[in-house]
Amino acid sequence: MFEIKDLQKKFGSLTVFDGLRETICKGDVVVIIGPSGGGKSTFIRCLNLLEQTTAGKIYFEGEDITAKGFDVNRHRQKVGMVFQQFNLFNNLTVLENITISLTKVKKQSEEESKEKALKLLKRVGLEDKANAYPSQLSGGQKQRIAIVRALAMEPDVLLFDEPTSALDPEMVGEVLQVISDLARDGITMVVVTHEMGFARKAGTRVLFMDGGQIAEQGTPEEIFEYPQNARTKEFLSKVINVI
């Protein structure tokens, strides 16, 4: 689905990463872990063209999305994004937050959009919140709505940028459960997270990023049980008792 070749991203004189190469295949659940400031969020934002790359190429479904004149909006219909801070429209109801893209972008009817939204809300246990406003929801509920909004567009890939970092600890589990359910359904996902238990349970592949480089990658078992890179070992020893 994604083929990343020699990717570079700079902010002025600061080089976030340089020479990244990676392939993400259909059905993968790629979980990206690592210390803060290691380039994880910038990398995932490049995949959705929220950040413009400095050099290198990103191919999505065989098409160079970094090419000049590429249709960014068309790409974002295929690649959904769930953010740390939910990014819901506070002046719209939950139902309206979900249906607005269906009616405006996909040109679906109001009735069809509403039916689809309610079905997805039921899937995450929030059908009773359809007419509520974001200000009336908990953080965990807001993030589940944000996931539903992304799912409603039927993207080929879902990107999650630290989806639980803004949540109270007791709300983290309900959001991770929704994401884990999606992983079992075979949806292709790339997830930046600090939740090691989730990475271990839901990921098909784990990337450890540090200093703008993919220092190590492998299956959850390989990364968490038998890490090879010294920096990976050091990081994991500080966050979980597996080393």
Side-chain angles (χ1 to χ4, degrees), residues 29 177-187 189 201-202:
V29 179
Q177 185 59 56
V178 171
I179 302 173
S180 295
D181 290 344
L182 295 177
R184 282 195 293 271
D185 289 347
I187 295 176
M189 296 191 287
K201 176 183 175 184

Side-chain angles (χ1 to χ4, degrees), residues 53-199:
T53 59
T54 305
K57 300 285 187 183
I58 301 174
Y59 293 91
F60 176 69
E61 297 180 340
E63 190 172 9
D64 181 5
I65 67 172
T66 52
K68 188 175 181 180
F70 180 77
D71 188 342
V72 174
N73 291 325
R74 178 167 62 88
H75 179 64
R76 289 180 185 159
Q77 288 183 44
K78 294 183 178 182
V79 182
M81 185 95 175
V82 178
F83 301 88
Q84 298 178 34
Q85 299 293 339
F86 326 127
N87 288 15
L88 298 176
F89 297 110
N90 290 321
N91 61 324
L92 300 181
T93 65
V94 164
L95 191 61
E96 290 167 341
N97 262 283
I98 300 166
T99 59
I100 187 169
S101 292
L102 296 175
T103 56
K104 301 293 185 185
V105 179
K106 288 210 163 187
K107 307 300 181 184
Q108 294 182 0
S109 68
E110 293 281 353
E111 190 59 38
E112 184 183 6
S113 299
K114 182 179 178 181
E115 182 180 348
K116 186 176 192 177
L118 290 173
K119 185 177 180 180
L120 288 170
L121 283 172
K122 185 174 183 179
R123 180 175 178 175
V124 299
L126 291 175
E127 64 268 37
D128 61 327
K129 300 295 184 181
N131 296 315
Y133 286 87
S135 61
Q136 299 170 302
L137 305 176
S138 70
Q141 290 171 334
K142 289 177 185 177
Q143 194 59 293
R144 281 186 281 165
I145 298 303
I147 293 170
V148 164
R149 182 179 60 181
L151 272 177
M153 293 295 286
E154 298 181 358
D156 294 346
V157 179
L158 270 177
L159 308 177
F160 295 85
D161 185 11
E162 299 191 28
T164 60
S165 66
L167 302 179
D168 292 334
E170 62 184 351
M171 297 177 182
V172 169
E174 64 190 49
V175 172
L176 291 180
Q177 185 59 56
V178 171
I179 302 173
S180 295
D181 290 344
L182 295 177
R184 282 195 293 271
D185 289 347
I187 295 176
T188 306
M189 296 191 287
V190 184
V191 186
V192 173
T193 186
H194 290 292
E195 299 294 334
M196 297 301 110
F198 168 81

